[in-house]
Amino acid sequence: MTPRDQAMKRATRALIEAVGGIEAAAVLCRVGKTKLAEYASVNHPEAWMPADVVRDLMAVTRGCAGRHALLAMLAADAGAALVMLPDHALAPTDLIEVIPALAKESADVVSRLVDAAAGRGNARALIKDIDEAVAVLVTLRAAVVEGEG
């Protein structure tokens, strides 16, 4: 089993744990405990969790650690990035409140890029700042979509 496949098995295990373990997961989806255990086991390289089971388990794990790891890996394999939507969108009338946060996060990214260009870069810090800027933009996008609806 490749290291990537092992990581996907760990991510599967994290999703199962996020719902409260194998017994809880079996109640929430169409497959039983044995199959769930196989999906998370490196000793069963042929067993992978079907999309509908992933969906059913993810539906009840909002806010739980580890719930997105599998989905993020699948997105990355497809050349995409997983971006979480905010729990609650801003009202369209509150869009002005996003401006300071957007300015701050954007400035943080630019500052890290300047550091990187000068050879003082910290990739983890830059990624963190980019993720924070994206989160503000996603919140803004959700508010705009809400306003159109």
Side-chain angles (χ1 to χ4, degrees):
M1 181 171 277
T2 67
R4 182 71 173 166
D5 285 350
Q6 291 174 16
M8 289 191 68
K9 291 287 190 171
R10 285 191 302 274
T12 300
R13 189 175 321 113
L15 176 58
I16 291 168
E17 290 170 4
V19 300
I22 290 200
E23 290 193 19
V27 171
L28 298 167
C29 67
R30 67 174 174 82
V31 298
K33 295 183 283 188
T34 301
K35 281 306 235 184
L36 288 165
E38 290 174 2
Y39 298 153
S41 174
V42 295
N43 296 322
H44 292 275
E46 76 293 344
W48 296 99
M49 188 177 283
D52 66 309
V53 175
V54 173
R55 179 202 60 216
D56 291 346
L57 298 182
M58 289 196 69
V60 296
T61 59
R62 192 163 193 101
C64 296
R67 77 179 284 253
H68 300 110
L70 180 59
L71 190 57
M73 291 183 77
L74 292 170
D77 287 350
L82 180 65
V83 177
M84 300 312 302
L85 298 174
D87 287 333
H88 303 288
L90 293 173
T93 55
D94 295 333
L95 293 179
I96 198 79
E97 294 179 20
V98 175
I99 293 172
L102 182 57
K104 178 205 175 298
E105 300 306 340
S106 298
D108 289 349
V109 170
V110 170
S111 176
R112 295 278 186 205
L113 289 172
V114 169
D115 287 348
R120 302 182 308 265
N122 178 330
R124 286 189 188 271
L126 177 56
I127 290 167
K128 178 182 176 288
D129 287 342
I130 290 170
D131 287 348
E132 290 170 356
V134 168
V136 172
L137 288 168
V138 168
T139 299
L140 176 60
R141 183 183 188 285
V144 172
V145 168
E146 180 81 15
E148 284 184 336

